[in-house]
């Protein structure tokens, strides 16, 4: 049972345009969501996160939107750059009030930004 | 501030053998988690250690075990290796706001 789903295995965009990566989840206990970027032969790099008490969080070119009623979140990258080309993972945790910070990951989306 | 480091970078083992992977967490981070990433999949949670005690475990058999030391470094031990254990093993330490920072991983190949 996959609790975090990234339904698009790949996405290709032109440099300078917006990249939108999507993620759906099924577990209503999730209250903290994160996006990671991964290059080949490296570990995932933390990008941005959002708590369930918010619906938007912004950090430079990266914005994450959370729609709790739809159990959906998205990562927007504006403007996209060739160096953004990587696999992007959506992750979620249900850590509120507890000490278990287990992350549940999606399968990832390969983003290719073309010059 | 140093990042998460892992050793070795990669190794090859034979089915039935045992392996120990090591992780040094980011400075000041006292919660360490281990993940297994199979090819084409997202990382899967193995277990988590907080102050030298296991305080969360994923759907992995008991032959996957771990340790955390007083300096917050950690080990992952896998006994009786199986072919399906071939994967990238990632260590992560928890930051101030529940985000987790990952090391570069250890690539394990079981033949």
């Amino acid at each position: 049972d996959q609790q975090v789903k990234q339904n698009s295995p790949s996405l290709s965009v032109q440099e300078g345009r917006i990249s939108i990566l999507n993620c759906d989840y099924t577990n209503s206990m999730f209250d903290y969501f994160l996006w990671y970027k991964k290059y080949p032969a490296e570990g995932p790099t933390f990008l941005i996160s959002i708590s369930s008490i918010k619906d938007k969080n912004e950090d430079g070119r990266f914005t994450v939107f959370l729609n709790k009623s739809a159990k959906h979140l998205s990562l927007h990258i504006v403007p996209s750059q060739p160096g953004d080309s990587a696999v992007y993972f959506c992750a979620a945790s249900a850590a509120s009030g507890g000490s278990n910070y287990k992350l549940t990951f999606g399968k990832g989306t390969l983003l290719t930004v073309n010059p | 501030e140093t990042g998460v480091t892992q050793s070795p970078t990669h190794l090859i083992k034979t089915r039935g053998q045992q392996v120990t992977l090591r992780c040094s967490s980011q400075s000041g981070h006292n919660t360490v988690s281990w993940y297994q990433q199979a090819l084409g999949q997202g990382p899967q949670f193995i277990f988590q250690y907080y102050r030298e005690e296991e305080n969360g475990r994923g759907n992995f058999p008991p032959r996957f075990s771990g340790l955390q030391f007083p300096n917050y470094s950690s080990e992952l031990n896998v006994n009786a290796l199986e072919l399906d254990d071939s994967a990238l093993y990632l260590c992560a330490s928890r930051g101030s706001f529940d985000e987790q920072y990952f090391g570069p991983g250890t690539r394990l190949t079981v033949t």
Side-chain angles (χ1 to χ4, degrees):
Chain A
D1 176 30
Q2 203 177 349
Q3 298 185 60
V4 177
K5 298 178 184 178
Q6 295 177 257
N7 292 319
S8 297
S10 63
L11 173 68
S12 182
V13 300
Q14 286 300 118
E15 181 178 5
R17 305 296 292 270
I18 185 172
S19 294
I20 300 176
L21 298 111
N22 294 303
C23 177
D24 298 295
Y25 63 95
T26 57
N27 188 340
S28 57
M29 297 300 291
F30 288 148
D31 57 7
Y32 186 63
F33 304 89
L34 310 89
W35 284 94
Y36 286 85
K37 176 171 74 173
K38 188 178 184 301
Y39 294 117
E42 293 185 11
T45 300
F46 171 71
L47 277 176
I48 191 169
S49 62
I50 188 167
S51 163
S52 59
I53 63 173
K54 294 185 173 183
D55 54 18
K56 177 182 174 181
N57 190 25
E58 208 168 342
D59 184 2
R61 297 187 298 116
F62 302 92
T63 303
V64 56
F65 295 92
L66 175 62
N67 183 333
K68 283 176 291 186
S69 61
K71 293 191 176 67
H72 176 83
L73 63 156
S74 60
L75 174 68
H76 293 210
I77 307 174
V78 183
S80 301
Q81 300 173 352
D84 296 330
S85 298
V87 177
Y88 287 77
F89 290 99
C90 170
S93 73
S96 176
S99 62
N100 186 335
Y101 301 100
K102 164 188 174 181
L103 293 180
T104 301
F105 283 83
K107 290 188 176 182
T109 296
L110 173 62
L111 173 66
T112 302
V113 181
N114 302 302
Chain B
E1 187 175 285
T2 58
V4 178
T5 60
Q6 293 185 243
S7 63
T9 304
H10 56 270
L11 73 166
I12 301 173
K13 290 285 188 177
T14 302
R15 191 171 50 182
Q17 286 187 316
Q18 178 266 344
V19 69
T20 297
L21 311 181
R22 294 180 174 82
C23 169
S24 291
S25 63
Q26 196 154 325
S27 176
H29 292 182
N30 57 18
T31 303
V32 174
S33 301
W34 285 91
Y35 291 79
Q36 179 196 67
Q37 186 179 14
L39 205 59
Q41 303 293 317
Q44 297 273 321
F45 176 75
I46 303 175
F47 45 55
Q48 175 183 281
Y49 277 82
Y50 172 68
R51 292 185 175 178
E52 304 175 55
E53 296 283 335
E54 183 182 303
N55 76 334
R57 190 177 184 92
N59 189 25
F60 282 81
R63 58 189 185 83
F64 286 77
S65 62
L67 282 173
Q68 187 182 29
F69 301 99
N71 65 355
Y72 304 138
S73 65
S74 177
E75 285 182 357
L76 164 66
N77 299 290
V78 187
N79 294 321
L81 283 167
E82 301 176 358
L83 297 178
D84 284 348
D85 295 334
S86 295
L88 180 68
Y89 288 86
L90 296 160
C91 169
S93 67
R94 176 183 160 253
S96 305
F97 299 101
D98 295 349
E99 73 280 15
Q100 295 193 27
Y101 296 94
F102 285 84
T106 294
R107 172 71 62 187
L108 172 65
T109 302
V110 182
T111 61

